């Protein structure tokens, strides 16, 4: 059988620990035998980031701008313990943060739904994708403890030095105060990314804020989304048969719990932080959650939502057997390959991605899985496989499809 040819390389960002081990097995067993894989390789493993003074991370993000599609392995975000463990020159920043700052955009997280790993919410039949705005609000706030009675005001000074003031509160005693901000530019890119992703994946888009209470701040989000939708996306949505739906955040939460799933839920920064943990745990497992960064300029970076699975890696180093779930990492590859296929008009590449995803799902539904899933599945007496054997089993399924 001849291998599927590619025309444009994927930007390949290798990573750390257990996911780095899985990365190689996935390539050897599931990709290289079937695809004439073209990638531009960047080693984002912590050792190489340290050697290059983290320049490799910046270069990999720049390459993503050049080629449009990247696939990233999980990477260590250094902390004090990692400084000693890897003898680091500096406490390098989170690669994801660096890449996001260069590409801009919105992170979309979606669970991989499999029969036998049942969501805790009975009505959920299809995945719910969370789109989290990743700038501002409470994450870039300024806070103060107010020690005693006094007045707190917001003061805006424009370029000419003219002030505008608004009273926050007249305190009669001690309390707390907080200042938050966001910027139109960032909200606009968030909106564009959400509308584009909805069209890309042919799913309805829900957006919710608390605009009835926050009549200026949250209302600005609502208005920006509506203006951009009306001007640039309304017709395309109609043509695709999908809907943009705005509602109050409380109403959205209630509707989500009664829905069948199958839509994108755009959330402000804090809502997205909280709700994505709720959605991922209610769908079953962090190891079954995909993540893609979509930039307003149309660049895509695919990865797994989980980290480097450090605990399993230490077992692996001691020569002990591991049972680490590779599905989210495989789906990062299939997401990137499918997108490359679409952009370069190589339908075989996109259908290979579909087939590999089907093979992962079928393998699990046939009762062969890693330990994390075996612990929560409703399938009776599942076969628990080690990290490598699970991937080999997926290859067998793939070859049988
Ligand atoms: P983690 O790697 O997500 O793992 C946390 C725990 O979740 C694991 O110990 C394991 O539980 C379970 N788990 C996660 N993924 C799994 C998988 N594929 N298969 C089976 N079980 C899985 O988080 P962490 O241990 O807190 O972080 C480790 C490193 O990852 C850190 O250095 C952090 O900086 C980095 N990180 C990177 C990213 C990223 O690159 N996007 C994201 C998050 C964290 P059991 O041990 O109970 O089996
Ligand atoms: Mg969180």
């Amino acid at each position: 059988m001849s291998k599927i040819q590619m025309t444009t390389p994927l930007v390949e960002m290798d990573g750390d620990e257990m996911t780095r081990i899985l990365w190689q097995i996935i390539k050897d067993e599931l990709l290289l035998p079937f695809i004439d894989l073209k990638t531009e390789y960047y080693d984002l493993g912590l050792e190489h980031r340290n050697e290059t003074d983290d320049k490799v991370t910046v270069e990999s993000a720049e390459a993503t701008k050049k080629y449009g599609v990247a696939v990233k392995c999980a990477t260590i975000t250094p902390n004090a313990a990692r400084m000693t463990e890897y003898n680091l020159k500096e406490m390098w920043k989170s690669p994801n943060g660096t890449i996001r700052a260069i590409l801009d955009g919105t992170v979309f997280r979606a669970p991989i739904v499999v029969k036998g790993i049942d969501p805790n919410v009975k009505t959920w039949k299809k995945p719910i994708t969370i789109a989290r705005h990743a700038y501002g609000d409470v994450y870039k706030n300024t806070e103060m403890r107010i020690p005693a009675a006094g007045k707190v005001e917001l003061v805006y000074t424009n370029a000419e030095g003219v002030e505008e003031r608004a009273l926050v509160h007249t305190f009669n005693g001690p309390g707390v105060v907080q200042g938050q901000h966001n910027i139109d530019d960032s909200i606009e890119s968030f909106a564009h990314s959400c509308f584009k992703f909805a069209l890309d994946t042919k799913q309805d888009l829900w957006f919710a804020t608390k605009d009835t209470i926050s009549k200026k701040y949250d209302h600005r989000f609502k208005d920006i989304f509506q203006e951009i939708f009306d001007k640039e996306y309304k017709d395309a949505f109609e043509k695709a048969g999908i809907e943009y739906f705005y509602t109050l955040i409380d109403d959205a939460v209630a509707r989500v719990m009664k829905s069948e799933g199958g839509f994108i839920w755009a959330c402000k920064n804090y809502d997205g932080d909280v709700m994505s943990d709720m959605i991922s745990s209610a769908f079953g497992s962090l190891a079954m959650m995909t993540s893609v960064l979509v930039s307003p300029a149309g660049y895509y970076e695919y990865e797994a939502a989980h980290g480097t699975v450090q605990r399993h890696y230490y077992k692996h180093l001691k020569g002990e057997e591991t049972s680490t779930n590779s599905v989210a990492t495989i789906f990062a590859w299939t997401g990137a390959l499918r997108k490359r296929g679409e952009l370069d008009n190589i339908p075989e590449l996109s259908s290979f991605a579909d087939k590999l995803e089907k093979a992962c799902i079928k393998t699990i539904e046939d009762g062969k899985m890693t330990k994390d899933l075996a612990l929560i599945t409703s399938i009776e007496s599942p076969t628990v496989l080690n990290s490598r054997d699970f991937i080999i089993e997926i290859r067998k399924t793939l070859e049988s499809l």
Side-chain angles (χ1 to χ4, degrees):
M1 202 186 72
S2 65
K3 290 187 190 181
I4 299 165
Q5 297 295 312
M6 294 176 65
T7 48
T8 318
L10 280 176
V11 178
E12 175 183 354
M13 303 169 174
D14 207 346
D16 288 299
E17 300 195 311
M18 202 57 211
T19 40
R20 188 181 180 97
I21 310 278
L22 298 178
W23 195 259
Q24 196 57 52
I25 310 175
I26 291 168
K27 281 175 69 178
D28 289 343
E29 296 295 335
L30 301 177
L31 303 175
L32 292 168
F34 307 98
I35 304 172
D36 196 8
L37 194 66
K38 272 199 175 67
T39 72
E40 192 163 291
Y41 181 85
Y42 292 86
D43 183 1
L44 267 54
L46 186 51
E47 277 165 18
H48 192 239
R49 273 183 275 150
N50 191 51
E51 280 162 23
T52 61
D53 294 337
D54 207 22
K55 285 199 183 69
V56 64
T57 307
V58 175
E59 285 164 6
S60 73
E62 294 298 342
T64 307
K65 282 185 164 176
K66 180 172 168 196
Y67 294 114
V69 187
V71 55
K72 181 179 170 292
C73 180
T75 46
I76 293 168
T77 298
N79 56 14
R82 301 296 198 169
M83 291 289 287
T84 2
E85 186 183 353
Y86 285 84
N87 193 20
L88 299 181
K89 297 187 235 174
E90 250 182 67
M91 202 185 284
W92 308 110
K93 285 195 199 138
S94 146
N96 287 43
T98 304
I99 294 166
R100 218 170 291 160
I102 295 172
L103 299 182
D104 191 10
T106 304
V107 176
F108 295 87
R109 294 207 153 165
I112 300 157
V113 177
V114 179
K115 277 191 221 97
I117 313 291
D118 305 313
N120 297 337
V121 179
K122 280 192 282 235
T123 53
W124 290 355
K125 302 275 183 282
K126 291 181 238 163
I128 295 168
T129 302
I130 293 273
R132 175 184 171 188
H133 185 211
Y135 178 82
D137 302 350
V138 73
Y139 302 87
K140 277 219 178 269
N141 70 4
T142 304
E143 304 184 317
M144 245 190 227
R145 261 185 80 171
I146 304 301
K151 186 170 74 171
V152 176
E153 287 178 293
L154 289 178
V155 184
Y156 162 66
T157 315
N158 76 7
E160 285 75 46
V162 181
E163 283 183 2
E164 194 184 316
R165 285 169 181 267
L167 178 70
V168 174
H169 190 63
T170 307
F171 287 86
N172 294 320
V176 282
V177 71
Q178 180 183 69
Q180 292 187 26
H181 80 279
N182 222 299
I183 44 186
D184 283 10
D185 259 0
S186 174
I187 304 168
E188 284 164 15
S189 358
F190 174 43
H192 280 294
S193 299
C194 290
F195 291 129
K196 285 201 179 110
F197 195 74
L199 283 170
D200 247 20
T201 59
K202 296 222 168 19
Q203 297 184 88
D204 289 346
L205 176 69
W206 297 17
F207 182 43
T209 72
K210 193 71 183 174
D211 66 290
T212 46
I213 298 296
S214 174
K215 288 184 165 54
K216 293 214 169 80
Y217 197 111
D218 279 17
H219 217 285
R220 189 78 198 117
F221 280 77
K222 178 184 176 180
D223 287 346
I224 287 177
F225 265 69
Q226 196 62 52
E227 281 159 24
I228 291 179
F229 177 70
D230 290 343
K231 214 161 86 194
E232 296 184 47
Y233 296 96
K234 204 171 182 175
D235 294 343
F237 266 56
E238 237 162 62
K239 225 183 252 165
I242 56 173
E243 193 187 353
Y244 169 58
F245 169 65
Y246 178 86
T247 187
L248 264 184
I249 184 77
D250 351 20
D251 181 48
V253 170
R255 282 171 188 257
V256 164
M257 298 311 275
K258 287 186 279 183
S259 77
E260 280 199 0
F263 54 89
I264 300 159
W265 183 10
C267 292
K268 284 180 63 199
N269 211 345
Y270 174 80
D271 299 339
D273 184 354
V274 177
M275 292 305 165
S276 64
D277 280 11
M278 184 196 76
I279 297 282
S280 70
S281 53
F283 266 105
S285 164
L286 192 60
M288 296 291 281
M289 195 80 173
T290 64
S291 183
V292 55
L293 173 72
V294 180
S295 87
Y299 312 127
Y300 294 79
E301 184 239 299
Y302 294 84
E303 61 175 327
H306 60 77
T308 60
V309 211
Q310 181 182 16
R311 211 178 63 82
H312 295 205
Y313 181 61
Y314 288 169
K315 277 176 73 178
H316 169 84
L317 287 182
K318 279 193 267 173
E320 290 170 32
E321 191 159 85
T322 59
S323 181
T324 315
N325 188 339
S326 45
V327 169
T329 305
I330 297 171
F331 271 60
W333 275 100
T334 53
L337 289 168
R338 183 186 296 105
K339 180 53 74 184
R340 202 63 274 167
E342 282 168 18
L343 295 175
D344 296 347
N345 199 11
I346 311 173
E348 312 88 83
L349 196 57
S350 303
S351 28
F352 174 80
D354 292 344
K355 205 165 136 184
L356 179 50
E357 289 183 358
K358 261 192 213 121
C360 293
I361 291 168
K362 185 169 183 330
T363 304
I364 298 167
E365 290 180 347
D366 286 348
K368 293 165 223 159
M369 59 192 80
T370 43
K371 190 175 156 201
D372 56 310
L373 297 182
L375 290 170
I376 56 171
T377 186
S378 58
I379 296 173
E380 269 175 48
S381 29
T383 309
V384 181
L385 298 167
N386 68 33
S387 307
R388 172 179 288 278
D389 287 351
F390 179 58
I391 294 172
I392 304 280
E393 210 52 54
I394 292 170
R395 177 168 177 176
K396 283 187 202 154
T397 313
L398 177 68
E399 284 171 329
S400 78
L401 286 178

